Structures are given as structure tokens and as C-alpha cells.
Amino acid sequence: MQTSTVQKIREQFAPMAIFKDPSSTNSLFAGRNLPSFVKDFILKRYISADGSVNRQGLTDFLDKVIPERQTEVKDRLDAGEELTLLTRFIIYIDLVKGLRRFGIPDLGIKINEGQIPQYVYKNHRGELVDGEKWGIIKITVLPDEDGKKNHVEMVDYKPFKPYKSVDIDYLRNARASFSIQEWIDVLLSAMEYEADGFESTTQKMEFLTRLLIFVEPRLNVIELAPKGTGKSFVFGNLSKYGWLVSGGKVTRAKLFYDKAKQQNGIIKNHDFTAFDEIQTIIFQEPAEIQAALKSYLESGKTTIDNNEFSSECGLMIMGNIPLNEQRRPLSYRYFDSLPQSFRESALLDRFHCFIEGWHLPRINKGIIYKGWTINVEYFSEILHTLRTQNIYGLLFDALVGYDKNADTRDFNAVKRIAVGYMKLLFPHWTSVSDINKDDFDTYCLQPAIRRRGIIKEQCHYIDPEFKTSMPYFWIKEESNISPTASNNMGVEENQLF
């Protein structure tokens, strides 16, 4: 990345900037497998203005809140110790017994073993709710009221949220200082990748398209790529709001709603759910899962055992695809690389976007970023906050014309993809007058049409009844844009922010 761009990062994002040195960081965190957003949270506490790290202070903190040997936690609790841990934990509210339970899967503490007392909950009302959380918790073993059994009690809790709120106006003002090419490089560096390691803007954009499900609700994406292109890292390390499914068995109860436990599944509690190595995942009762997915992918709702389930979670399916010597798919039928249970046109047509992962470089040491960039925790909060900013959808409606006979799925797909690109690449656009139409067409509208078009074409190969032609979309002339559109959106913007 160019020196001038790095300098802009340090100027515009000074409180959120961090110096990344992978070789040093990997050594500091050796033996502790932590996602990037946790590492950056810790590094920010011990990094100086010149980028140097207080190694001893950081190591002491790690030793205190993240045991080097996870197997020792239960033994220490059993010995009567009170432990303070920075960890991922899961909450389940037992309405029948009037208990808030928690489990720490990574440490072997089951959800029926942990309890959150009322005083801790009252101090953090609205935060200790069903689902996965990250935080610094203090736990100890206490006897139950009847004295017959013990339980693990959470005696204190500090939310893992260094940025309690994100100022979108701050982001917009900062973004306006960068050119589009500079901003693309900034986004890549925030993902911990070196922009100079990509051969072209096409490669960079293919890579950044993975972030669309971070910013746009209920966007459903398929990516087929060769191994080693960083799929697992992006979806497992950059945000605490997502869930990565890597192999194993998947049930309808795990995804949507568990009737026996009366507990929502992972789709309910996350911004996105990504299925990595889809060919290795075993979907139990595939017919039931497929029926639930069809309904959910279409409307964000489905019915599970007479319970209506709804969510804004996007779904990402990632799989490997065999390539020839020119790194292009061996077959023009891309979806043949998916498991048999997913090769149904009616299901696949409900996905909006396709990522051609064969354009991406294999991850190597030279592509890992070293230098100043936006820290991952702030970056993930920005992406999460952008999900609910509706100004970009209004801008799309004001700016884009389309065939009135356009298929509803095609229109919705193109709009969601284009709006996602606007949030990601041009968050400083808040009125029609702000928009560079050439940039909008190049980076938002045309990629959206093309990525939805690939889905349609591949569905046609499965079922010839599916048409391959996309509806016609165009950018309206100035005379056709409502003169009040920009003003009305300005009012909306002021009301929202």
C-alpha cells in the first residue's frame, strides 16, 4: 500500500489505527488461537504511538485472562479458584426454571453447568440475552440452593465491545479523503491483506465482495474457489457477529429452532452464517433443511414445528471447485461442485450473488499485511452498523431505472448487491448529488447485474426452464430524478443520525 494512503489512515482514523506486524504478533499470541478482532482489542491496550508493543504487559494480560492450557480451567475451578477470562460464551434463557444459563464450549463448560445470577444480569440488562457473546467474565464454582450439586457462576461481566457505538458521520468524513482505489486498499489492509499482493483491481474486488454479507442484511452468496484463498480466515476472524460452520453435522434445529430445547439456532443470532467446505458438511434430514432454507432464503422467515422463525442473517455457501492449468473451472456447470442436496434450481435461484473465487490469489506470506491500518474490532463494528443504514437503498431507488417486468428475485438481488457495494465502497454518499455515476455504474450496478446473472445462468444448466437473460437496469438521467429526492433523503438522514 502506498505511503500516502498509510499516512491518510493515521490522520483520518488516528484513534482506531493500529500497527500490524504478523511475525511479531504471531509470536506474542503463540499457543492461543484467537480471532483477529480479539487480538486487535488486546494489542490496542499495549501499543504505543510509534507502533511498538509493551510485550511484557501484553503477555501478563494474556496469562491472566486467557489460560495457555485450556484444560487447566476446570481443574482450577474445582480447586476453588475464581477465574477471570476473556472468552466466547453462549447464553440460554431457561424460562421454565427461571434461570439464565451459560456455557463456554472452548473450555468444556456445558450450557447446563453455568448460571448468571440476577445481580449480574441487572447490571447488564439487554446484553446478557440468548446467543453467542464475547466478554471478560469472572467465574467460580458455587453450590446450588439445595446444596446437592454445584454450578459455575458468573460473578462479574465486562462486555467485549471496545467501541460502544460507532459514529457513521465520522466514517463518512474520513472516507471522503480517499480516492476509490485508495479506499479499496484500506479495506484490504483492514482485512489484514496487502493490496500490492493482488494483481489487479478485479482480484481486489472479487476479494472484497466477501464483505457484502457483513454490511447487507439477508444477502445470500455462493462462492466457489480453489483451496488456500483465505475463505475460512475472512469469515472466522473478522467479526464476532458472524458464525462459520466448518464441517461436521448440521441439523435444522441447529440452524433454525430446536423444539426440544425451545432455543433458537445460529441463524437467529448472527449477521451472517458461512458454510465452509460445503462438500464436507453432513446435512441431516436434508429434505427438511432444504424446505426450511427455501422459505428462509426467499423471505427471511420459515415455520419450524408451528413456530415462525425470522432473522436478518445472510447465508454464505463456500465450496471448492476444480480448475484447469489456466485456473479456470474444468466445467461450465459450476454448481456440479455443490453437494447433491444443494443442486436444485429452485433452491439456488434464491441466492443473490456469486463470487468467482478462481480469480483470487492463493494466500502466501507476501500477501499478509504489515503496517498501519484500521484495527479489526473497529472495522467489524463499522460493518455491523452499516447494516441498518437505509439511506443507500433510498439512493438506489432514486437513481436506478429498471424494466417494469423485471423478475422480483432478479431485482431484489441486484439492489441488495449494489446497495452492499455502496455501503462498503462509498459510505460517504448520502444524497444523489454526492454520487459519481460512473463510479456507481462501475463498482456497484454492473457487478451486481453480473453476479446475479451467473446464478441465473447456472440454474439454467440445471433446469432449462430458468431463463438466463437479466432484466435491463439503467442509471436515470438527471431530468428523471425527482427534484425532491435528494432533499427528502437529507431529512431522513438527519432524523436517523
Side-chain angles (χ1 to χ4, degrees), residues 376-393:
V376 173
E377 174 58 21
Y378 174 75
F379 184 56
S380 70
E381 290 293 334
I382 281 290
L383 299 178
H384 175 68
T385 303
L386 283 169
R387 292 174 68 84
T388 55
Q389 307 302 307
N390 62 10
I391 188 66
Y392 306 100

CSV table of all heavy atoms in Angstrom, one decimal, residues 376-393:
chain,number,residue,atom,x,y,z
A,376,VAL,N,-9.2,-4.3,13.5
A,376,VAL,CA,-10.2,-5.2,13.1
A,376,VAL,C,-11.5,-5.0,14.0
A,376,VAL,O,-12.6,-5.1,13.5
A,376,VAL,CB,-9.8,-6.7,13.2
A,376,VAL,CG1,-11.0,-7.6,12.9
A,376,VAL,CG2,-8.7,-6.9,12.1
A,377,GLU,N,-11.4,-4.8,15.3
A,377,GLU,CA,-12.5,-4.6,16.1
A,377,GLU,C,-13.4,-3.4,15.7
A,377,GLU,O,-14.6,-3.5,15.6
A,377,GLU,CB,-12.1,-4.5,17.6
A,377,GLU,CG,-13.3,-4.2,18.5
A,377,GLU,CD,-14.4,-5.2,18.5
A,377,GLU,OE1,-14.1,-6.3,18.1
A,377,GLU,OE2,-15.5,-4.9,18.9
A,378,TYR,N,-12.7,-2.3,15.4
A,378,TYR,CA,-13.5,-1.1,14.9
A,378,TYR,C,-14.0,-1.4,13.5
A,378,TYR,O,-15.2,-1.0,13.2
A,378,TYR,CB,-12.5,0.1,14.8
A,378,TYR,CG,-13.2,1.3,14.2
A,378,TYR,CD1,-14.1,2.1,14.9
A,378,TYR,CD2,-12.8,1.7,12.9
A,378,TYR,CE1,-14.7,3.2,14.3
A,378,TYR,CE2,-13.4,2.8,12.3
A,378,TYR,CZ,-14.3,3.6,13.0
A,378,TYR,OH,-14.9,4.7,12.4
A,379,PHE,N,-13.3,-2.0,12.7
A,379,PHE,CA,-13.7,-2.4,11.3
A,379,PHE,C,-15.0,-3.2,11.4
A,379,PHE,O,-15.9,-3.0,10.6
A,379,PHE,CB,-12.6,-3.1,10.6
A,379,PHE,CG,-12.9,-3.4,9.2
A,379,PHE,CD1,-13.2,-2.4,8.3
A,379,PHE,CD2,-12.7,-4.7,8.7
A,379,PHE,CE1,-13.5,-2.7,6.9
A,379,PHE,CE2,-13.0,-5.0,7.3
A,379,PHE,CZ,-13.3,-4.0,6.5
A,380,SER,N,-15.0,-4.2,12.2
A,380,SER,CA,-16.1,-5.1,12.3
A,380,SER,C,-17.4,-4.4,12.8
A,380,SER,O,-18.5,-4.6,12.4
A,380,SER,CB,-15.8,-6.3,13.2
A,380,SER,OG,-15.7,-6.0,14.6
A,381,GLU,N,-17.2,-3.4,13.8
A,381,GLU,CA,-18.3,-2.6,14.3
A,381,GLU,C,-18.8,-1.7,13.2
A,381,GLU,O,-20.1,-1.5,13.1
A,381,GLU,CB,-17.8,-1.8,15.5
A,381,GLU,CG,-17.6,-2.6,16.7
A,381,GLU,CD,-18.8,-3.3,17.3
A,381,GLU,OE1,-19.9,-2.8,17.1
A,381,GLU,OE2,-18.7,-4.3,18.0
A,382,ILE,N,-18.0,-1.2,12.4
A,382,ILE,CA,-18.4,-0.3,11.2
A,382,ILE,C,-19.3,-1.2,10.3
A,382,ILE,O,-20.4,-0.7,9.9
A,382,ILE,CB,-17.2,0.3,10.5
A,382,ILE,CG1,-16.6,1.5,11.2
A,382,ILE,CG2,-17.6,0.7,9.1
A,382,ILE,CD1,-17.5,2.7,11.2
A,383,LEU,N,-18.8,-2.3,9.9
A,383,LEU,CA,-19.6,-3.2,9.0
A,383,LEU,C,-20.9,-3.6,9.6
A,383,LEU,O,-21.9,-3.5,8.9
A,383,LEU,CB,-18.8,-4.5,8.7
A,383,LEU,CG,-17.4,-4.3,8.0
A,383,LEU,CD1,-16.7,-5.6,7.8
A,383,LEU,CD2,-17.5,-3.5,6.7
A,384,HIS,N,-20.9,-3.9,10.9
A,384,HIS,CA,-22.2,-4.2,11.6
A,384,HIS,C,-23.1,-3.1,11.6
A,384,HIS,O,-24.3,-3.2,11.4
A,384,HIS,CB,-21.8,-4.7,13.0
A,384,HIS,CG,-23.0,-5.0,13.8
A,384,HIS,ND1,-23.9,-6.1,13.6
A,384,HIS,CD2,-23.6,-4.3,14.9
A,384,HIS,CE1,-24.9,-6.1,14.5
A,384,HIS,NE2,-24.7,-5.0,15.3
A,385,THR,N,-22.7,-1.9,11.9
A,385,THR,CA,-23.5,-0.7,12.0
A,385,THR,C,-24.1,-0.3,10.6
A,385,THR,O,-25.2,0.2,10.5
A,385,THR,CB,-22.7,0.5,12.6
A,385,THR,OG1,-22.2,0.1,13.8
A,385,THR,CG2,-23.6,1.7,12.8
A,386,LEU,N,-23.3,-0.5,9.6
A,386,LEU,CA,-23.8,-0.2,8.2
A,386,LEU,C,-25.0,-1.0,7.8
A,386,LEU,O,-25.8,-0.6,6.9
A,386,LEU,CB,-22.7,-0.3,7.2
A,386,LEU,CG,-21.6,0.8,7.2
A,386,LEU,CD1,-20.4,0.3,6.3
A,386,LEU,CD2,-22.2,2.1,6.6
A,387,ARG,N,-25.2,-2.1,8.4
A,387,ARG,CA,-26.3,-3.0,8.0
A,387,ARG,C,-27.7,-2.3,8.1
A,387,ARG,O,-28.6,-2.5,7.3
A,387,ARG,CB,-26.3,-4.2,8.9
A,387,ARG,CG,-25.2,-5.2,8.6
A,387,ARG,CD,-25.2,-6.3,9.6
A,387,ARG,NE,-26.3,-7.2,9.4
A,387,ARG,CZ,-26.3,-8.2,8.5
A,387,ARG,NH1,-25.3,-8.4,7.7
A,387,ARG,NH2,-27.4,-9.0,8.4
A,388,THR,N,-27.8,-1.4,9.1
A,388,THR,CA,-29.1,-0.8,9.4
A,388,THR,C,-29.2,0.6,8.8
A,388,THR,O,-30.2,1.3,9.1
A,388,THR,CB,-29.4,-0.7,10.9
A,388,THR,OG1,-28.3,-0.1,11.5
A,388,THR,CG2,-29.6,-2.2,11.4
A,389,GLN,N,-28.3,1.1,8.0
A,389,GLN,CA,-28.3,2.4,7.4
A,389,GLN,C,-29.1,2.3,6.1
A,389,GLN,O,-28.7,1.8,5.1
A,389,GLN,CB,-26.9,2.9,7.1
A,389,GLN,CG,-26.0,2.9,8.3
A,389,GLN,CD,-26.5,3.7,9.5
A,389,GLN,OE1,-26.9,4.9,9.3
A,389,GLN,NE2,-26.6,3.1,10.6
A,390,ASN,N,-30.4,2.8,6.1
A,390,ASN,CA,-31.2,2.6,4.9
A,390,ASN,C,-31.1,3.7,3.9
A,390,ASN,O,-31.8,3.6,2.8
A,390,ASN,CB,-32.7,2.5,5.4
A,390,ASN,CG,-33.2,3.8,6.1
A,390,ASN,OD1,-32.5,4.8,6.0
A,390,ASN,ND2,-34.4,3.7,6.7
A,391,ILE,N,-30.3,4.7,4.1
A,391,ILE,CA,-30.1,5.8,3.1
A,391,ILE,C,-29.7,5.2,1.7
A,391,ILE,O,-30.0,5.7,0.7
A,391,ILE,CB,-29.2,6.8,3.6
A,391,ILE,CG1,-29.1,8.1,2.7
A,391,ILE,CG2,-27.8,6.3,3.8
A,391,ILE,CD1,-30.4,8.8,2.7
A,392,TYR,N,-28.9,4.2,1.7
A,392,TYR,CA,-28.3,3.7,0.5
A,392,TYR,C,-29.3,3.0,-0.4
A,392,TYR,O,-29.3,3.0,-1.6
A,392,TYR,CB,-27.1,2.7,0.8
A,392,TYR,CG,-26.1,3.4,1.7
A,392,TYR,CD1,-26.1,3.1,3.1
A,392,TYR,CD2,-25.2,4.3,1.2
A,392,TYR,CE1,-25.2,3.8,3.9
A,392,TYR,CE2,-24.3,4.9,2.0
A,392,TYR,CZ,-24.3,4.7,3.4
A,392,TYR,OH,-23.4,5.3,4.2
A,393,GLY,N,-30.3,2.3,0.2
A,393,GLY,CA,-31.4,1.7,-0.5
A,393,GLY,C,-32.3,2.8,-1.1
A,393,GLY,O,-32.7,2.7,-2.3
